[in-house]
Amino acid sequence: MGEAEEPVPESGAVFTFGKSKFAENIPSKFWFKNDKPLYMSCGDEHTAIVTGNGKLYMFGSNNWGQLGLGTKNTINKPTCVKALKPEKVKLAACGRNHTLVYTERGHVYAAGGNSEGQLGLGDTEERSTFHLIRFFTNQYKIKQLAAGSYTSAALTEDGQLFVWGDNSEGQIGLAGETSVCVPWQVDVGKPVSWVSCGYYHSALVTRDGELYTFGEPENGKLGLLPEQLKNNRVPQPVPGILERVNKVACGGGHTVALTETDVYTFGLGQYGQLGHGTFIFETSVPKAVEHLKRHKICNIACGENHTAVIADNGLMFTFGDGRHGKLGLGEENFTNQFIPTLCSNFLKFAVYLVACGGCHMLVFATPRPKGSEEIHED
Amino acid sequence: LESSSDAQTTDSDEIVVGTSLGSPPKVDVERIHIEIVSLSLHPEAEAMASEHIQQLYVEYHFPGVPLTETPLSLRKPQGGEEIYFHFSKVIQLDPEGVSSQREILFSMLQAEEAGLQFVVVSEPLPGTGGECEDVGFAYIDLREILLTGNDVLEHDLDVVSPQDRSAIGRLKVSVEAAAALCAIYWEGRRKAEEEE
Ligand SMILES: [Mg+2]
Ligand SMILES: [Mg+2]
């Protein structure tokens, strides 16, 4: 109060929205001295940030030890996981109550809730520090980690997909198993290039651009035909998207797929998270989001009930459940958004990263250089 | 460069928290928080069958504040379906002292009932030439919030028909107002006694 606002440095800042646990859940921002975020992930109530210097910062709820800091206290400020400092961290993924980490040495670690074996450690005991998953040796070069409610996935550079954790709904695609507490391979007969774990369903994209879904079949979130739904426990190709799919993101009850030209959504949209307007609250048929057609979208993220997309010009759009301000569209008055809504906070920024959790969202953005052309929406 | 100074480098040194010009969190006695959460209609309600009712919004009039409407109309709920607005608004009350807003609220709280009225409104589809039409009313008793001292969280209110007062649906709302209403009530009582 009274103080002048400190300008965001050229290297950018991380902006927090909703119930992030940071800054008393008031929309806020922070940045790193001599470092910057490379990768961010949100769990239900916690957050992981991997920086360019290979450090892992964690904050948020910690009831299961999911921050990996050796305690179960809620942490309200990004805190470096010192135990991982000797090896550079490259990737992190936050599930509902657990966290996965991949380091430059080729190690995969896990911490947090483990009721369904989601830590991949061969048992179901929770851990409040990061433990090595012995299955992964440095012969596996990991390209992507993903984590859902009680599920985990690791995708290798050469397109092999490994999964572990809860399979009660078939959400890790292992047909007959109820849950597995060590990594298992899921094979769809061709290399995999992307994976996402939602709350009770998952999706993968193959290198040839085909989208597969599996897990809880309700509300159209698998995007499958009625006759496919009985095989929901194994990955099945989603019909209805004729273009190549590049990325997919799964939320609580919805799925978002990104192609070269369009963003397709399907599943539950009662809060607007599908972005199809105020008349479509559910669909099992993948449908391109009309309001994004004229934008070139390059990144997508799903929280439990909200969606965020980044355009290649650095603008960001959000839609879905507006509670707690997690859409980044206001200070204290909020509402659900049923079509993609421009986040005007970032008109003078270029947005690089976005991560969505249960009730929060994090955005990494850098100021547009002074004198550069200001972006105008319409 | 800084690797040798690890011992002195605390985590807070590595992070800069941006200061914000955003207003500091106001105390509860100065603000009221109202959320229109969701709406459902009873399957047998007339509005369910009516073809010219296609989309609905909700409005309310809080004393001293212009008419407040949900920013969007949503498709009429089907069957027992709930439609979700999650429209939440913080009302900054006039400060203590001379204020018609506080006087109106005080006189409401002294009456038998202090109903804040919500109106469910049908908005015609674009191009159909119809007019907005009140479909139902719901009330929340501010006096009850004052007397119990409890905020109302995700509370289901009956929506009644403007014609015959029959229940046609449910409106879920949250009203966080106990502390502010209490402050207004005791301020009013004190003033009344001083004037005697
Ligand atoms: Mg497009
Ligand atoms: Mg609220």
Side-chain angles (χ1 to χ4, degrees):
Chain A
M1 297 136 269
E3 286 171 62
E5 187 165 6
E6 193 168 346
V8 172
E10 264 175 53
S11 54
V14 176
F15 296 77
T16 61
F17 302 99
K19 288 170 84 174
S20 67
K21 311 280 177 188
F22 179 72
E24 296 175 71
N25 299 327
I26 295 163
S28 193
K29 57 182 177 284
F30 62 86
W31 53 87
F32 300 93
K33 284 183 183 166
N34 310 314
D35 207 352
K36 65 170 191 175
L38 268 194
Y39 197 85
M40 305 196 300
S41 178
C42 293
D44 205 39
E45 298 183 354
H46 72 295
T47 301
I49 301 176
V50 176
T51 68
N53 291 343
K55 288 182 181 170
L56 175 68
Y57 289 86
M58 303 289 304
F59 63 98
S61 287
N62 197 15
N63 310 41
W64 287 271
Q66 63 263 50
L67 303 187
L69 294 166
T71 70
K72 289 188 177 177
N73 306 329
T74 298
I75 303 290
N76 53 28
K77 200 175 169 187
T79 302
C80 186
V81 181
K82 293 231 165 82
L84 292 172
K85 265 189 173 173
E87 22 190 336
K88 290 195 166 188
V89 174
K90 290 185 77 176
L91 298 170
C94 295
R96 191 174 196 160
N97 67 3
H98 72 296
T99 308
L100 305 173
V101 165
Y102 176 62
T103 70
E104 216 162 64
R105 282 191 203 161
H107 293 156
V108 179
Y109 295 92
N114 196 18
S115 57
E116 313 299 322
Q118 63 265 40
L119 299 189
L121 299 171
D123 58 38
T124 54
E125 274 168 48
E126 62 191 39
R127 307 287 203 288
S128 63
T129 55
F130 283 101
H131 280 61
L132 182 70
I133 303 179
R134 298 202 178 275
F135 175 87
F136 294 103
T137 58
N138 56 13
Q139 75 183 84
Y140 296 107
K141 299 270 176 282
I142 305 295
K143 178 192 164 186
Q144 195 191 4
L145 294 171
S149 270
Y150 313 104
T151 58
S152 300
L155 176 63
T156 66
E157 298 272 1
D158 60 0
Q160 298 182 75
L161 177 62
F162 296 93
V163 296
W164 59 98
D166 187 12
N167 197 40
S168 56
E169 299 282 346
Q171 63 267 57
I172 52 173
L174 294 176
E177 308 295 325
T178 51
S179 71
V180 297
C181 53
V182 290
W184 281 48
Q185 187 164 9
V186 171
D187 193 353
V188 293
K190 43 189 177 181
V192 175
S193 62
W194 195 270
V195 62
S196 174
C197 297
Y199 276 62
Y200 295 97
H201 74 298
S202 307
L204 62 85
V205 178
T206 56
R207 211 172 272 169
D208 60 4
E210 203 164 3
L211 174 65
Y212 287 70
T213 57
F214 40 107
E216 196 182 67
E218 281 83 30
N219 304 114
K221 59 182 167 291
L222 299 186
L224 298 172
L225 302 170
E227 60 266 30
Q228 289 179 296
L229 288 180
K230 62 181 184 300
N231 290 324
N232 65 304
R233 301 179 64 87
V234 294
Q236 293 180 93
V238 175
I241 303 179
L242 300 175
E243 304 166 81
R244 277 180 70 97
V245 174
N246 291 331
K247 293 175 184 175
V248 64
C250 298
H254 72 301
T255 307
V256 178
L258 177 65
T259 69
E260 281 302 320
T261 59
D262 277 314
V263 175
Y264 287 81
T265 64
F266 46 95
L268 258 184
Q270 77 276 45
Y271 309 116
Q273 64 268 48
L274 298 181
H276 295 318
T278 54
F279 274 70
I280 298 177
F281 301 145
E282 184 175 329
T283 176
S284 61
V285 179
K287 187 172 150 54
V289 178
E290 201 61 40
H291 287 80
L292 293 174
K293 277 190 179 290
R294 61 199 179 84
H295 299 281
K296 171 84 183 104
I297 302 301
C298 56
N299 248 314
I300 54 176
C302 285
E304 183 176 12
N305 297 316
H306 68 299
T307 309
V309 303
I310 304 173
D312 68 346
N313 59 3
L315 293 181
M316 187 177 78
F317 301 83
T318 58
F319 43 107
D321 189 340
R323 275 188 161 175
H324 312 295
K326 59 181 166 283
L327 298 181
L329 299 172
E331 290 277 327
E332 52 179 22
N333 297 334
F334 312 124
T335 188
N336 292 346
Q337 298 292 343
F338 290 79
I339 56 169
T341 304
L342 180 74
C343 241
S344 57
N345 279 318
F346 296 112
L347 279 174
K348 291 183 172 162
F349 290 84
V351 175
Y352 288 95
L353 303 172
V354 60
C356 298
C359 284
H360 68 301
M361 177 173 77
L362 261 76
V363 175
F364 171 58
T366 62
R368 290 182 191 275
K370 282 222 171 61
S372 72
E373 209 180 320
E374 204 174 298
I375 298 284
H376 292 284
E377 172 66 359
D378 290 330
Chain B
L1 192 73
E2 80 271 288
S3 58
S4 61
S5 62
D6 208 40
Q8 296 113 292
T9 310
T10 66
D11 289 319
S12 51
D13 285 341
E14 299 165 359
I15 304 249
V16 181
V17 177
T19 53
S20 159
L21 287 175
S23 45
K26 295 285 193 319
V27 271
D28 285 346
V29 294
E30 294 167 353
R31 62 196 340 236
I32 283 175
H33 181 193
I34 298 178
E35 182 178 20
I36 295 169
V37 180
S38 63
L39 172 72
S40 63
L41 293 179
H42 298 324
E44 68 282 3
E46 210 175 300
M48 289 296 280
S50 165
E51 277 214 358
H52 67 270
I53 297 175
Q54 291 293 328
Q55 54 177 356
L56 302 169
Y57 69 92
V58 181
E59 65 181 32
Y60 62 88
H61 200 155
F62 192 87
V65 178
L67 182 71
T68 304
E69 301 175 336
T70 57
L72 295 169
S73 294
L74 303 184
R75 190 205 71 208
K76 175 170 78 176
Q78 299 168 350
E81 183 187 40
E82 255 178 297
I83 55 173
Y84 296 89
F85 294 94
H86 288 174
F87 172 59
S88 80
K89 183 181 163 84
V90 172
I91 295 166
Q92 296 296 343
L93 296 176
D94 293 345
E96 212 175 303
V98 189
S99 150
S100 61
Q101 181 188 49
R102 296 180 84 91
E103 276 167 22
I104 295 167
L105 284 166
F106 178 63
S107 61
M108 280 174 78
L109 293 171
Q110 280 192 309
E112 281 289 291
E113 263 182 81
L116 175 64
Q117 176 183 261
F118 298 92
V119 186
V120 177
V121 186
S122 160
E123 182 186 6
L125 291 178
T128 56
E131 279 177 30
C132 286
E133 177 193 332
D134 294 351
V135 168
F137 299 106
Y139 302 89
I140 190 148
D141 189 357
L142 296 181
R143 200 173 145 79
E144 197 177 312
I145 295 175
L146 171 73
L147 292 177
T148 61
N150 291 329
D151 291 333
V152 166
L153 297 175
E154 306 232 352
H155 190 74
D156 271 319
L157 304 175
D158 271 327
V159 179
V160 299
S161 150
Q163 280 83 36
D164 58 5
R165 303 267 131 189
S166 63
I168 61 159
R170 311 276 268 174
L171 181 71
K172 191 175 281 180
V173 299
S174 294
V175 178
E176 293 168 55
L181 294 178
C182 189
I184 286 170
Y185 182 74
W186 289 110
E187 178 198 358
R189 285 285 300 268
R190 206 183 57 237
K191 278 189 180 165
E193 277 165 27
E194 280 166 10
E195 278 165 24
E196 268 169 26

